[in-house]
Amino acid sequence: LAVKDPTAVERANLLNMAKLSIKGLIESALSFGRTLDSDYPPLQQFFVVMEHCLKHGLKVRKSFLSYNKTIWGPLELVEKLYPEAEEIAASVRDLPGLKTPLGRARAWLRLALMQKKMADYLRCLIIQRDLLSEFYEYHALMMEEEGAVIVGLLVGLNVIDANLCVKGEDLDSQVGVIDFSVYLKSDDDIGGKERNVQIAAILDQKNYVEELNRQLNSTVSSLHARVDSLEKSNTKLIEELAIAKNNIIKLQEENHQLRSENTLILMKTQHHLEVSKVDVEAELQTYKHSRQGLDEMYNEARRQLREEAQLRQDMENELVVQVSMKHEIELAMKLLEKDIHEKQDTLIGLRQQLDEVKAINVEMYQKLQVSEDAMKEKNEIISRLEDKTNQINATMKQLEQRLQQAEKAQMEAEAEDEKLKQEYVNKSESLQNEFSQKEKQLLQLETDLKIEKEWRQTLEDDLQKEKETVSHLRTETQEIVNLKKEFLKLQEKNKQLKGICEDQEAALQELASKLSESKLKIEDIKEANKALQGQVWLKDKEATHCKLCEKEFSLSKRKHHCRNCGEIFCNACSDNELPLPSSPKPVRVCDSCHAILIQRCSSNVP
């Protein structure tokens, strides 16, 4: 078997109950009389059924101290959607006997039925389902199609005239229980189907007439509003027309004055024009003579300016060429200096070698003079030295050849320098073009960078604001948490105080019962005292024995003296005790008069 949705079953049951209650109310009203009061049972059952329908699927709204689940919230929303409902809401709020939201909702339903606009109000409410979702669950009756069906059924209640007294009725404490015995069928109901059909036809006709009357009232109200607006606009136009006529008269007078002034001004201007024409003709002749001389001076100055501009342009071009030549000469000089330094290094090395050879020759000459005797022995050494000199001469020839080659290389380098100069000129022009392009790119990048900096600054400001809001929200959440903790502590303290208060009330009840008993005993004692007034106390020396047991007083049997009757008893005989609130221990009482006994020392005790 397929499992049915329990919420769908609940909605179907409530819809059927609404149908039965509305149908029974209309039929009973037509048979009983169309004007109903608040004590009519079918009308009471109808309000109970409507209350159950509005409560179905209602969300539990959390308040500060408890949970709230009432239908007054969505009904209060009707005055924002339907302006005519503001009167009902205001009158419900002003009722003095209503204390709970449920009582206000019940009063609202009764007033809406008396106005015959309950269906219109609830239709406006179920249309705005996005607002109803704040109060109802998604499966509630008012959120589904059953709500629209119930609103359509409520239109039939417009045939009933209800006269309900809401002010003196206790709506807060009513118990909403549906009486199903009212809706059970009987034999009489089966026999009255034809009558019900006739009644239904009459009701349909009445509903049509009332709907037509309502539309005509709306059109009449709109026409009245249009007539009022037209009358207001007509009065405004009449006032504006009178003001315009006055303005036209004033303007005509001003126009006449201005025309007279204009004629005077024309006469004066004509006279001035005749005088000024003579002056202008004389000035024109002088201007023509001066204009010719000025034109000649202007042409000569313009020719000189052109010549000077051409000379300046030529000088600037020559200056640019000289600057470029200077840069090229400086580069060539640097390259030549590098080559000269290298050649000087090579020459210095060759000179050092020549100095070494000269030093060797000097030493050999000295050795020849010193060792003439050893000439023969050292002929071989001389021959070797000659070989070395030959080698040195060969090296000298080689060095001379290298010098010639270096000079040729220098000539080739100079030719290459000229080529490099030409290439450098071409490269400098291309570099200048690239430099101008780079400058343009740099300017564009700087503008982009400024824009990005401004954007970043705005983002940082927004981020700072968001951080401040987050910190503010965190502080608020922390305060809410602290308030919750304090609220829990206060609840615990409240429970403890309630326990202490209950204990104290129990103790007070016990003390009250004991005090009532003690008051009764005190009143008895007072009455005994009045009876025993005038008696004299016995002296301690004469009282040696107890009045009751007639035993002698001692340390174990102490004396107890009655204030009223004067009798003296021992502690064994005076066992009657009475609790007093002023003393922590109970007091002993006299057996005869019930007065308080005073303990006395015996005669043989110091």
Side-chain angles (χ1 to χ4, degrees):
L1 292 174
V3 179
K4 292 185 178 180
D5 188 6
T7 57
V9 174
E10 290 175 2
R11 292 196 300 270
N13 292 334
L14 288 171
L15 179 61
N16 292 326
M17 288 305 302
K19 288 179 181 178
L20 289 172
S21 64
I22 293 168
K23 183 180 178 183
L25 180 60
I26 293 170
E27 290 177 355
S28 61
L30 291 173
S31 61
F32 176 73
R34 295 195 178 184
T35 303
L36 306 177
D37 55 358
S38 58
D39 295 332
Y40 192 57
L43 186 60
Q44 293 178 356
Q45 287 296 312
F46 166 72
F47 286 127
V48 171
V49 172
M50 283 304 299
E51 187 177 339
H52 280 280
C53 292
L54 290 171
K55 281 184 179 179
H56 183 261
L58 194 65
K59 286 184 180 179
V60 178
R61 297 177 69 83
K62 295 180 181 179
S63 61
F64 186 69
L65 296 174
S66 63
Y67 294 97
N68 189 9
K69 186 177 181 180
T70 180
I71 60 174
W72 175 239
L75 293 179
E76 195 177 9
L77 190 65
V78 175
E79 62 177 327
K80 298 179 181 177
L81 303 174
Y82 203 85
E84 294 182 5
E86 293 179 357
E87 185 179 356
I88 294 178
S91 59
V92 167
R93 292 191 190 97
D94 294 336
L95 285 174
L98 299 177
K99 297 179 181 178
T100 61
L102 184 59
R104 295 189 188 96
R106 289 169 177 168
W108 189 91
L109 290 173
R110 282 156 175 78
L111 292 173
L113 183 64
M114 285 193 286
Q115 280 190 348
K116 297 184 180 181
K117 290 185 179 180
M118 185 185 291
D120 297 334
Y121 294 158
L122 293 180
R123 186 176 69 251
C124 290
L125 191 62
I126 64 171
I127 289 169
Q128 302 292 332
R129 293 193 178 180
D130 52 348
L131 297 175
L132 275 181
S133 61
E134 297 179 1
F135 301 97
Y136 289 100
E137 301 289 344
Y138 67 95
H139 57 77
L141 186 137
M142 296 297 289
M143 299 290 287
E144 297 292 337
E145 295 179 356
E146 288 83 353
V149 175
I150 290 172
V151 170
L153 293 171
L154 290 173
V155 177
L157 295 177
N158 293 335
V159 300
I160 298 171
D161 296 327
N163 187 9
L164 307 176
C165 183
V166 182
K167 191 171 184 180
E169 192 173 357
D170 186 11
L171 299 174
D172 294 328
S173 60
Q174 286 185 0
V175 180
V177 179
I178 300 172
D179 187 7
F180 293 99
S181 63
V182 179
Y183 308 108
L184 297 175
K185 288 185 178 180
S186 61
D187 296 333
D188 297 332
D189 296 331
I190 296 168
K193 287 183 179 179
E194 295 179 356
R195 186 170 58 84
N196 292 332
V197 171
Q198 294 175 0
I199 291 167
I202 293 166
L203 288 174
D204 293 335
Q205 291 176 2
K206 188 181 184 238
N207 290 332
Y208 173 73
V209 171
E210 286 183 353
E211 189 67 28
L212 186 62
N213 191 11
R214 190 180 298 169
Q215 291 179 0
L216 290 171
N217 287 328
S218 63
T219 53
V220 167
S221 62
S222 63
L223 289 171
H224 280 302
R226 288 180 65 185
V227 167
D228 293 334
S229 63
L230 289 171
E231 286 178 353
K232 290 179 181 177
S233 62
N234 193 8
T235 53
K236 287 181 180 178
L237 289 171
I238 290 166
E239 292 175 356
E240 289 177 357
L241 194 142
I243 293 165
K245 285 181 179 178
N246 295 325
N247 291 328
I248 287 166
I249 293 166
K250 290 179 181 178
L251 290 170
Q252 286 176 355
E253 293 176 355
E254 289 179 358
N255 191 7
H256 183 68
Q257 291 176 359
L258 290 170
R259 282 180 179 178
S260 61
E261 290 177 358
N262 192 7
T263 53
L264 293 172
I265 291 165
L266 283 171
M267 294 294 290
K268 291 179 181 180
T269 51
Q270 286 177 0
H271 180 69
H272 285 296
L273 283 171
E274 290 175 356
V275 174
S276 61
K277 278 181 182 179
V278 177
D279 296 332
V280 166
E281 287 177 356
E283 288 178 357
L284 277 171
Q285 290 177 0
T286 55
Y287 175 73
K288 286 177 181 178
H289 292 295
S290 62
R291 179 73 180 272
Q292 290 177 358
L294 290 170
D295 288 335
E296 291 175 355
M297 290 173 66
Y298 175 73
N299 291 324
E300 188 176 357
R302 190 172 182 183
R303 182 177 56 76
Q304 290 178 359
L305 182 63
R306 285 178 182 175
E307 290 176 356
E308 288 178 357
Q310 188 66 33
L311 289 171
R312 186 177 179 182
Q313 188 68 31
D314 295 336
M315 293 296 289
E316 286 179 355
N317 292 328
E318 288 178 359
L319 183 62
V320 171
V321 172
Q322 286 179 1
V323 169
S324 62
M325 290 293 289
K326 186 178 180 182
H327 288 299
E328 290 174 359
I329 290 164
E330 286 178 355
L331 289 171
M333 289 295 290
K334 287 179 181 179
L335 293 171
L336 289 171
E337 284 177 358
K338 286 182 180 179
D339 293 333
I340 289 164
H341 286 302
E342 290 177 357
K343 289 175 182 178
Q344 283 179 355
D345 293 332
T346 54
L347 288 171
I348 288 165
L350 291 172
R351 284 175 182 174
Q352 287 177 357
Q353 290 179 2
L354 287 171
D355 290 334
E356 289 176 358
V357 170
K358 285 179 181 179
I360 292 165
N361 288 325
V362 170
E363 289 177 358
M364 292 300 292
Y365 182 72
Q366 289 176 359
K367 287 178 181 179
L368 285 170
Q369 288 179 357
V370 173
S371 60
E372 287 179 356
D373 296 334
M375 185 67 71
K376 292 178 181 180
E377 294 177 359
K378 295 181 179 180
N379 286 325
E380 295 177 359
I381 295 168
I382 291 165
S383 61
R384 291 176 183 174
L385 289 172
E386 286 175 354
D387 294 331
K388 286 183 180 180
T389 54
N390 293 325
Q391 290 177 1
I392 290 164
N393 290 322
T395 53
M396 288 291 290
K397 289 178 181 179
Q398 290 176 359
L399 289 171
E400 287 176 356
Q401 290 176 359
R402 287 179 182 177
L403 283 171
Q404 291 176 359
Q405 290 176 358
E407 288 176 354
K408 290 179 180 179
Q410 185 177 0
M411 296 294 290
E412 291 174 357
E414 288 176 356
E416 288 176 358
D417 289 335
E418 290 177 356
K419 291 179 180 179
L420 289 170
K421 286 177 183 178
Q422 190 65 30
E423 290 176 358
Y424 176 76
V425 171
N426 296 325
K427 286 181 180 180
S428 63
E429 290 176 355
S430 62
L431 287 171
Q432 283 180 357
N433 294 325
E434 289 178 359
F435 182 72
S436 62
Q437 291 178 0
K438 295 290 182 183
E439 283 182 347
K440 291 179 181 178
Q441 291 178 359
L442 181 62
L443 291 171
Q444 188 175 2
L445 290 171
E446 284 178 353
T447 54
D448 295 335
L449 184 62
K450 287 180 181 178
I451 293 165
E452 287 179 356
K453 283 182 179 179
E454 292 175 354
W455 181 64
R456 185 176 180 183
Q457 186 66 31
T458 54
L459 288 174
E460 287 177 354
D461 295 335
D462 294 335
L463 183 63
Q464 187 66 28
K465 290 179 181 177
E466 289 178 354
K467 285 181 179 179
E468 291 176 356
T469 53
V470 168
S471 62
H472 183 64
L473 291 171
R474 284 179 180 171
T475 53
E476 287 181 353
T477 51
Q478 189 65 32
E479 289 175 357
I480 290 166
V481 171
N482 295 327
L483 286 171
K484 285 183 179 178
K485 291 179 181 178
E486 290 177 0
F487 178 68
L488 293 172
K489 289 179 182 179
L490 289 171
Q491 281 184 345
E492 291 177 358
K493 287 182 181 179
N494 191 9
K495 288 179 181 179
Q496 292 176 1
L497 291 170
K498 282 182 179 178
I500 293 166
C501 184
E502 289 174 357
D503 295 335
Q504 289 178 356
E505 285 177 357
L508 286 171
Q509 288 177 0
E510 291 176 0
L511 286 171
S513 61
K514 289 181 181 180
L515 282 170
S516 62
E517 292 175 1
S518 62
K519 281 182 180 179
L520 291 172
K521 289 183 181 180
I522 287 166
E523 286 175 0
D524 294 335
I525 290 166
K526 286 180 180 179
E527 289 175 2
N529 286 333
K530 288 178 182 178
L532 294 172
Q533 283 179 358
Q535 295 183 3
V536 182
W537 283 22
L538 289 174
K539 294 181 179 179
D540 290 337
K541 292 179 180 180
E542 294 176 356
T544 57
H545 293 80
C546 180
K547 184 75 174 177
L548 294 175
C549 63
E550 295 181 354
K551 292 182 181 180
E552 189 177 1
F553 293 111
S554 63
L555 289 171
S556 61
K557 291 186 177 185
R558 296 181 295 278
K559 293 179 182 180
H560 290 278
H561 196 284
C562 181
R563 293 179 177 178
N564 294 325
C565 61
E567 298 291 338
I568 297 173
F569 303 94
C570 64
N571 56 354
C573 295
S574 58
D575 292 329
N576 293 328
E577 293 181 349
L578 179 66
L580 290 176
S582 59
S583 65
K585 294 180 180 180
V587 244
R588 296 181 183 275
V589 181
C590 179
D591 290 330
S592 58
C593 66
H594 298 288
I596 297 171
L597 297 177
I598 300 169
Q599 183 178 350
R600 288 172 176 262
C601 297
S602 59
S603 59
N604 54 0
V605 179

